[in-house]
Amino acid sequence: MYELYGISPGEDHYVHLIDLLCRSGKFSKAKDVIQTMPFEPGAPIWEACLAGCRIHGNLDFGIQAVERLFELAPQHDGTYILLSNMYADVGRWGDMAKVRKLMRDRGVKKEPGCSWVEVENNVHVFLVDDTNHPLVQAVYNYLEELGLKMRKLGYVSDTMYVLHDVESEQKEYVLSTHSEKLAVAFSLLKLPLGATVRVFKNLRISSCVRSPVACQMENLSYKGAKKAI
């Protein structure tokens, strides 16, 4: 990089490189890069490693990254959330509960996630399991009706992303109250047919930038679900 462009790579350059390697599952190469860096890896480096470990279920390397993050940024809520989610992925509910307790004991609070959309020059904000929006009941009714039509077409809810030790029916309920899904459903109700739906979020979602649940909802809805209602 220096020979070609005269630029000495800084931490931000290494963060992007390691993020790409970890997200593509190339953890050995990511470790090699970390070991050859001309400075000690900071919190952004380990956050990139942890995000990749969450995607690919690399619990061992993920725990290593968490241990370093606990030293460098002990009040960052995302570290605790990602670790607890990784434990939930493999059914280690006891370890997940321990992480959540550690989070509470240290006074670390999770920033509530929300999604918002702009409809008719007004911004509408939705939280998970929302009850505050004045039209939220109409949204829930629409989701229930749309869900029936989707299941008739063969759609099955992917409950693997519901990181709670609950029954399948409860997991489907959790998915139905996801803030992104509420925002998409509200947009489909209020925007004209064929209009672009843009959903914004305040948090980065695990597994990909958008929740896979919301992505599935969008794809099915845009293929004519609104026309059928």
Side-chain angles (χ1 to χ4, degrees), residues 11-217:
E11 185 179 41
D12 55 339
H13 299 103
Y14 281 100
V15 168
H16 290 304
L17 174 59
I18 291 170
D19 185 54
L20 288 171
L21 291 172
C22 289
R23 286 180 179 276
S24 60
K26 299 177 180 179
F27 296 105
S28 295
K29 290 185 177 181
K31 292 178 182 178
D32 290 340
V33 173
I34 293 174
Q35 292 173 357
T36 58
M37 290 190 331
F39 47 81
E40 287 295 314
I45 296 290
W46 294 113
E47 287 172 358
C49 294
L50 182 57
C53 290
R54 170 71 174 93
I55 293 172
H56 295 281
N58 189 335
L59 189 57
D60 292 336
F61 189 35
I63 291 175
Q64 180 182 341
V66 166
E67 290 174 348
R68 296 305 306 275
L69 285 168
F70 280 167
E71 297 174 1
L72 297 168
Q75 295 300 306
H76 181 53
D77 63 329
T79 303
Y80 300 85
I81 299 302
L82 285 177
L83 178 59
S84 66
N85 288 352
M86 291 177 70
Y87 280 135
D89 283 343
V90 294
R92 292 172 59 173
W93 306 110
D95 289 324
M96 186 193 81
K98 290 178 182 178
V99 174
R100 296 283 180 160
K101 183 178 184 301
L102 178 63
M103 189 175 179
R104 291 193 299 271
D105 292 344
R106 293 182 175 180
V108 179
K109 295 184 179 180
K110 179 181 181 296
E111 181 183 356
C114 66
S115 302
W116 63 92
V117 291
E118 183 176 341
V119 175
E120 297 177 351
N121 296 320
N122 290 314
V123 175
H124 298 265
V125 181
F126 295 90
L127 302 173
V128 63
D129 202 16
D130 202 324
T131 59
N132 295 323
H133 193 281
L135 296 177
V136 72
Q137 191 55 54
V139 173
Y140 284 130
N141 293 340
Y142 178 82
L143 281 171
E144 184 176 357
E145 186 176 354
L146 182 58
L148 291 173
K149 294 180 180 292
M150 290 163 64
R151 282 191 287 274
K152 287 182 180 179
L153 294 173
Y155 174 75
V156 178
S157 298
D158 189 353
T159 58
M160 69 170 290
Y161 292 102
V162 181
L163 304 175
H164 303 283
D165 188 15
V166 295
E167 298 298 326
S168 297
E169 292 79 4
Q170 291 174 284
K171 289 186 175 183
E172 290 195 9
Y173 173 77
V174 172
L175 290 181
S176 71
T177 61
H178 194 283
S179 68
E180 280 181 314
K181 181 173 282 190
L182 297 176
V184 171
F186 177 79
S187 300
L188 294 173
L189 274 172
K190 292 298 180 180
L191 290 174
L193 187 64
T196 300
V197 175
R198 292 187 177 91
V199 178
F200 301 88
K201 291 191 63 65
N202 66 328
L203 298 177
R204 187 176 186 177
I205 303 301
S206 57
S207 299
C208 63
V209 176
R210 301 189 192 93
S211 164
V213 175
C215 291
Q216 292 168 355
M217 176 68 186

